[in-house]
Amino acid sequence: MQTKNKIIFNIVFTSVMTTCGYVVTIFLPIPYANGAGYLNFGDIFSIISCVFIGPFSGAFVGIVSGSLADLTLGGVQYIPFTIVGKGLMCLFIGFTYVHFKKYIKLIVILLGELISVFVYFICYWIYFGLGAYMSSLFDLIQALCCSVVGYILILTINKISIFHNHQNNSNG
């Protein structure tokens, strides 16, 4: 494929994934019981972006969609942690996913999500002290759900042959 078309495809795909991540996060948040944060499914789009167009695009999707959602939903204090957590999560997944066999890839995605959970744990600990444990339990549920759904969608997208023409990374 021509380089120009590949660049355009990557820009459009990144934009669509960022928009989807933001929309899913702001319209489907599930508030935590202790009021510190919310469960959401925006990470699914970051995971897909990491795998199909690379770690930096995935990090862009996670950082922008997550930070804008924090801003929209009144969680401005979470934005610095979102930038670090989503950025590290996506960089880890994007750089390591391609090096493992099929089912190990799900573990790689989950490990990337756990990096984000750890960053948010620090955030909750700073803001809420012992309340961090409760919020982090919900974050673990989110990490598991997003990892499994993201992996299933990656396997499904891999079945669509037209996408293989635009793909940079090894897949599921």
Side-chain angles (χ1 to χ4, degrees):
M1 176 171 49
Q2 297 175 359
T3 304
K4 183 179 177 183
N5 289 344
K6 191 174 194 174
I7 292 169
I8 291 169
F9 176 83
N10 287 347
I11 290 169
V12 170
F13 189 79
T14 301
S15 301
V16 169
M17 291 291 104
T18 303
T19 303
C20 289
Y22 172 72
V23 168
V24 165
T25 302
I26 65 164
F27 287 113
L28 300 173
I30 302 168
Y32 293 162
N34 64 352
Y38 53 88
L39 187 140
N40 71 83
F41 301 101
D43 285 356
I44 293 168
F45 300 98
S46 302
I47 292 166
I48 291 170
S49 298
C50 290
V51 170
F52 288 108
I53 54 176
F56 296 110
S57 294
F60 179 85
V61 170
I63 289 169
V64 172
S65 63
S67 296
L68 286 176
D70 286 342
L71 185 63
T72 304
L73 294 171
V76 175
Q77 72 275 18
Y78 297 113
I79 292 175
F81 297 97
T82 296
I83 292 169
V84 174
K86 302 302 182 193
L88 291 175
M89 174 191 80
C90 293
L91 292 174
F92 176 82
I93 293 170
F95 282 120
T96 58
Y97 184 87
V98 297
H99 300 293
F100 292 95
K101 301 280 185 205
K102 193 170 190 170
Y103 296 106
I104 302 293
K105 292 181 179 203
L106 175 59
I107 295 169
V108 167
I109 293 170
L110 186 56
L111 288 173
E113 283 279 351
L114 291 177
I115 292 169
S116 183
V117 169
F118 179 72
V119 170
Y120 281 110
F121 174 80
I122 293 169
C123 170
Y124 301 142
W125 183 70
I126 290 169
Y127 290 141
F128 306 109
L130 292 178
Y133 298 107
M134 183 67 161
S135 294
S136 291
L137 290 175
F138 291 113
D139 282 349
L140 287 171
I141 294 168
Q142 175 180 317
L144 181 62
C145 292
C146 288
S147 296
V148 170
V149 172
Y151 183 69
I152 290 169
L153 288 173
I154 288 165
L155 294 177
T156 304
I157 292 169
N158 280 332
K159 302 289 183 194
I160 302 171
S161 62
I162 200 164
F163 192 82
H164 290 289
N165 296 330
H166 302 289
Q167 193 170 335
N168 288 343
N169 296 331
S170 176
N171 45 28

